[in-house]
Amino acid sequence: MRDRLRLPSSPGFWRSPLRGPWFTSVLGLVLLAGITVLFVTGLVSYAAYNPGLSPVNDKTPDKGLLGFYLFAWPTGPVWLYRFTQGVHVTLGITLIPVLLAKLWSVVPRLFTLPPARSLTHALERLSLLLLVGGGLFEFTTGVLNVQLDYVFPGSFYPLHFYGAWVFFAAFLAHAALKTPTAVRAVRRRSRGEGHMDGAESTTAEPAAGAAPHPGSAQGPRAAEGTGAADVGRSAGAASGPGAAEGLRAAADGAAGEGRTGAASGPEVAKGARAAEGAGVAQSAGAAAGAGSGRAAEGVAGAGPGQSDLVSPCPAEPTVSRRGALALVGGGSLLLFVTTVGQSLGGAWRRTALLAPHGGADPGGGPNGFQINKTAAYAGITPADRHEDAWRLVVTGRTGTVRLSRAQLLALPLHSSALPIACVEGWSTADQWWRGVRLRDLAALVGHDGDPPDVLVESLQRHGAFRRAALRANQVADPRSLLALHVNGEELSPDHGHPARIIVPAAPGVLNTKWVARLTFGDL
């Protein structure tokens, strides 16, 4: 018996009195809301890249029907992508303690034997494998990407995209099966408020479907005692006078309470402990079952998936369920406070201690705001940017023109106050950009009035987004610029000198730096 209790597949191995339908259900309902928001904001983020516009924007070319929701990304409000991606990243990090607590609360099910009792049970276990594995994969790849430490083989974009669909499909199936049960478990909390108090009064939850004895405070203890008899029932053969005493105690105690629909009373617990100590669970279970059919039915009535969360021989509690939930909530709050500042920008950035783009802005002056890639990292040399060498090549309906930086400065210049927001969740406050409107550049090559899409190419020689496409609505927006200055000063090399794209509400990677060529036309 004791050897079996040491195996993870034995219910007695997992002894925390905190596990149970109510505790798991609370965490599950939080994840139901949170993961739904994560999935929606993730799809919105993907749509913001306009992957249907051009192959250079599409990092998942085999998405097929999974791209059914794609639409032309709007240019307003200007903070749109900053908001949606900030929510996606901050919420994902905030939910990590909740996800880990939920996995802890159901870990006994991962070791249930036999692995599959039927075809239906096998399919359910497979969906759980996809759910748990997919969840861990999505959160892990997301956090590593946010931390700029992505180590997985292959591009983040397709792995995270396809992984999200696998995970969310399993999540929906699981939610459809378990949400009604979870809601019922939370509503039943009022029947056993005692198990929410301090650690000294925290007991194992009654299995779902088992009501406490009317007028008795021993309902949870009774379920625990009956569960102990159940553990004993699987152990082995009976022998000795101690065994007989255990049988009689278990049978008498259970029979006395069996008519109420739930076993209770010290006799049951005493009988179960005596039966367990003598190693006679099988006989004790038979005797108890004969005298308390309805009591056993009350505990087993929940079926697999609920009663298996409750330990049959719980250890002494060291924290209440309220305390455990407070610990999880406190961890989430800490992660939120130390992450959200990178999305808010300004003085709040200093609170983002866990974010690579948290803390103080780099440097000072007009160009002293966040960047992802430096000119040196992108391989941009001073010779590439020199005014004698650099020319902007603009191609369109009527041909090609080549413009120096001085010629661009001679064109009508306009200003826009726009932020930069990146897929990693960080963003800047509004910066004042000044340059030539994209639609004015389109007009130079024959696209007057109704500018088309544009393909933007950078001096950068390597990288996923050294070329990017912008839709016609983005080109036509008067706030979309080929920027030459920022905050009243010439662009620094790290911010894209000699010229960069800045478009309202677009992801940072589409605001191409070190622009070399613009090709206007339907892409």
Side-chain angles (χ1 to χ4, degrees), residues 140-185:
T140 301
T141 54
V143 168
L144 289 176
N145 189 64
V146 168
Q147 293 296 323
L148 308 180
D149 283 324
Y150 185 77
V151 295
F152 281 78
S155 171
F156 167 76
Y157 295 96
L159 290 179
H160 202 67
F161 176 80
Y162 293 123
W165 279 104
V166 171
F167 168 59
F168 198 68
F171 177 78
L172 282 180
H174 185 75
L177 291 172
K178 300 298 183 182
T179 298
T181 304
V183 171
R184 286 195 299 269

Side-chain angles (χ1 to χ4, degrees), residues 89-266:
V89 170
T90 303
L91 179 59
I93 292 176
T94 301
L95 285 178
I96 288 175
V98 184
L99 175 69
L100 295 179
K102 177 66 160 58
L103 292 177
W104 173 86
S105 75
V106 298
V107 70
R109 292 180 182 167
L110 302 181
F111 297 92
T112 301
L113 294 178
R117 295 188 296 268
S118 65
L119 178 60
T120 302
H121 185 242
L123 292 175
E124 182 181 356
R125 295 299 294 274
L126 177 61
S127 70
L128 287 178
L129 177 65
L130 295 175
L131 179 68
V132 174
L136 291 176
F137 177 80
E138 285 298 289
F139 275 81
T140 301
T141 54
V143 168
L144 289 176
N145 189 64
V146 168
Q147 293 296 323
L148 308 180
D149 283 324
Y150 185 77
V151 295
F152 281 78
S155 171
F156 167 76
Y157 295 96
L159 290 179
H160 202 67
F161 176 80
Y162 293 123
W165 279 104
V166 171
F167 168 59
F168 198 68
F171 177 78
L172 282 180
H174 185 75
L177 291 172
K178 300 298 183 182
T179 298
T181 304
V183 171
R184 286 195 299 269
V186 171
R187 287 176 176 173
R188 274 197 301 269
R189 165 183 165 181
S190 58
R191 299 183 186 178
E193 284 290 344
H195 69 252
M196 284 295 294
D197 295 333
E200 69 281 356
S201 60
T202 296
T203 62
E205 290 186 45
H213 183 276
S216 170
Q218 298 299 321
R221 289 294 183 190
E224 178 184 327
T226 306
D230 289 342
V231 171
R233 191 160 44 242
S234 62
S239 63
E245 181 182 343
L247 289 174
R248 285 193 297 273
D252 293 343
E257 294 296 330
R259 296 179 182 85
T260 66
S264 65

Side-chain angles (χ1 to χ4, degrees), residues 256-519:
E257 294 296 330
R259 296 179 182 85
T260 66
S264 65
E267 292 83 358
V268 179
K270 177 180 176 183
R273 286 194 297 271
E276 180 183 330
V280 292
Q282 206 165 23
S283 299
S292 61
R294 277 175 295 194
E297 206 176 332
V299 175
Q306 287 298 329
S307 60
D308 58 354
L309 294 176
V310 181
S311 175
C313 46
E316 288 297 319
T318 57
V319 65
S320 68
R321 289 182 182 83
R322 182 179 285 115
L325 290 177
L327 180 64
V328 174
S332 291
L333 180 61
L334 178 63
L335 290 178
F336 174 81
V337 169
T338 53
T339 301
V340 70
Q342 71 167 349
S343 299
L344 298 177
W348 291 102
R349 189 177 302 281
R350 296 180 181 273
T351 68
L353 303 178
L354 297 183
H357 289 279
D361 282 325
N367 279 275
F369 54 95
Q370 298 292 319
I371 57 172
N372 235 4
K373 293 180 180 178
T374 64
Y377 179 89
I380 308 299
T381 66
D384 294 328
R385 300 182 293 100
H386 195 275
E387 61 181 10
D388 293 336
W390 181 83
R391 294 293 184 272
L392 175 69
V393 179
V394 184
T395 301
R397 180 184 296 152
T398 59
T400 298
V401 297
R402 298 170 61 88
L403 301 169
S404 67
R405 198 167 191 278
Q407 289 173 313
L408 287 170
L409 289 170
L411 295 174
L413 301 181
H414 303 271
S415 297
S416 297
L418 300 173
I420 294 176
C422 282
V423 68
E424 296 90 358
W426 67 268
S427 57
T428 71
D430 287 353
Q431 311 295 325
W432 277 97
W433 307 91
R434 187 164 179 80
V436 182
R437 285 174 174 163
L438 293 183
R439 68 185 189 186
D440 291 345
L441 291 171
L444 290 178
V445 288
H447 298 284
D448 293 307
D450 190 17
D453 309 327
V454 63
L455 176 66
V456 184
E457 299 179 70
S458 172
L459 291 173
Q460 183 178 341
R461 295 169 181 83
H462 306 285
F465 286 95
R466 62 189 181 87
R467 298 192 302 161
L470 298 174
R471 282 195 185 276
N473 67 308
Q474 294 173 311
V475 175
D477 193 293
R479 295 165 296 184
S480 298
L481 303 176
L482 179 74
L484 306 171
H485 294 84
V486 63
N487 298 323
E489 187 175 283
E490 190 173 281
L491 290 170
S492 69
D494 290 342
H495 280 301
H497 182 274
R500 71 168 297 163
I501 296 294
I502 189 72
V503 173
V509 291
L510 298 187
N511 291 306
T512 308
K513 297 192 286 188
W514 315 294
V515 176
R517 178 183 292 269
L518 299 174
T519 303

